[in-house]
């Protein structure tokens, strides 16, 4: 999404799937037939996204948001896009793929906020979608960019927005996106703030809530063990085995593990598969060398990580860090599994 602009929606003639899944703040219909039923964790995450937007941008969303999850080539959006949002009186509709849904929810939840420009609208949607943000290499922002109503990418809008939030807080950021001057909101000119951004901002910021998953218990100094139940009706189960997408119609649940540098053996039983990726937990000063966590990628580089089948023991050399484990069920019914991690050296 960082490199793809989401435009208006040509939804008048769209075939809308039935809104079969209802949370507190959203209603969801899906034509992703391989990915039904939608899991409780997916609905809860969308509800939390609406609440987060309300809190951070000081807005209040009224009626539920209607979301239609669709295949990329079926979404009725203008252009080659991953998703779009359509507003009509008191009704909001989102037509989207998995990867763009949280971005579009931000637009719908903040519908009453009059953003000063497209730069601020899309920057807010990216930041509040929760994902990592990174610099647009080779580009230096100018005050004219901040009032732009055309964007080739969302990289600079999202990264500069995150910088303002980190440096000046959500209240000041909320004033800026509504059109207050930099002088009034921050005490300095737009150019002064942009110069500080170029000098001080890191290459990449982590997600707003990095790796927010239950910890795999440590049994002894060299062993970690987790008993998990993957149940689509449970709040910790999702159809996405990585945060922004899925390669399988089967549900998954997330765990995290904090490891020092070393070699580790991972074993899952009795079936299913699991995905591993290093969590992006701290700002990065420069692009990483791939793979950046030893034998694994970091989600700052490649969000979906590496898939491992349950058969056998998988031995990996890892750098120190926090790792996300997505344990995927082999069937739709509740599935129980055990993951054991041993430090080899």
């Amino acid at each position: 999404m960082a490199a793809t602009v989401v435009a208006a929606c040509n939804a008048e003639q769209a075939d809308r799937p039935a809104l079969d899944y209802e949370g507190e703040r959203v209603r969801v219909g899906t034509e992703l037939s391989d990915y039904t039923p939608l899991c409780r964790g997916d609905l809860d995450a969308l509800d939390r996204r609406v609440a987060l937007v309300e809190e951070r941008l000081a807005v209040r969303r009224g009626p539920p948001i209607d979301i239609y999850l669709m295949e990329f080539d079926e979404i009725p959006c203008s252009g080659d896009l991953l998703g779009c949002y359509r507003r009509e009186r008191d009704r909001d509709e989102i037509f989207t793929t998995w990867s763009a849904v949280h971005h579009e929810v931000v637009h719908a939840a903040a519908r009453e906020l009059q953003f000063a420009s497209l730069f601020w609208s899309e920057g807010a949607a990216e930041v509040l979608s929760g994902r990592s943000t990174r610099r647009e290499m080779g580009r230096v922002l100018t005050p004219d960019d901040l009032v732009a109503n055309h964007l080739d990418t969302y990289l600079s809008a999202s990264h500069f927005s995150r910088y303002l939030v980190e440096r000046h807080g959500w209240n000041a950021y909320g004033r800026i996106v509504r059109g207050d001057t930099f002088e009034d909101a921050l005490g300095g000119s737009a150019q002064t703030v942009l110069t500080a951004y170029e000098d001080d901002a890191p290459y990449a910021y982590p997600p707003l809530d990095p790796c927010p998953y239950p910890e795999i218990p440590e049994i002894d100094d060299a062993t970690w063990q987790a008993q998990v139940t993957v149940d689509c009706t449970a709040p910790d189960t999702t159809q996405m085995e990585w945060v922004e997408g899925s390669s399988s119609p089967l549900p998954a649940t997330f765990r995290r593990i904090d490891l020092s540098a070393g070699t580790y053996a991972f074993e899952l039983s009795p079936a299913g598969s699991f995905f591993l990726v290093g969590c992006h937990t701290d700002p990065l000063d420069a692009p990483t060398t791939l793979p950046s966590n030893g034998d694994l990628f970091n989600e700052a580089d490649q969000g979906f990580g590496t898939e491992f089948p349950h058969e056998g023991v998988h031995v990996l050399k890892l750098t120190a860090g926090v790792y996300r484990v997505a344990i995927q069920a082999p069937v739709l019914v509740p599935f129980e599994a055990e993951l054991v991690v041993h430090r080899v050296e």
Side-chain angles (χ1 to χ4, degrees), residues 307-326:
E307 183 178 8
F308 297 90
H310 78 278
E311 293 91 350
V313 178
H314 304 278
V315 179
L316 303 169
K317 186 175 182 179
L318 303 177
T319 60
V322 180
Y323 291 84
R324 184 177 75 226
V325 186

Side-chain angles (χ1 to χ4, degrees), residues 1-5 82 126 131-132 134 152-156 158:
M1 280 300 301
T4 306
V5 176
L82 299 176
E126 280 294 282
R131 68 184 84 238
S132 300
R134 60 182 174 87
D152 294 323
T153 79
Y154 294 161
L155 292 173
S156 289
S158 61

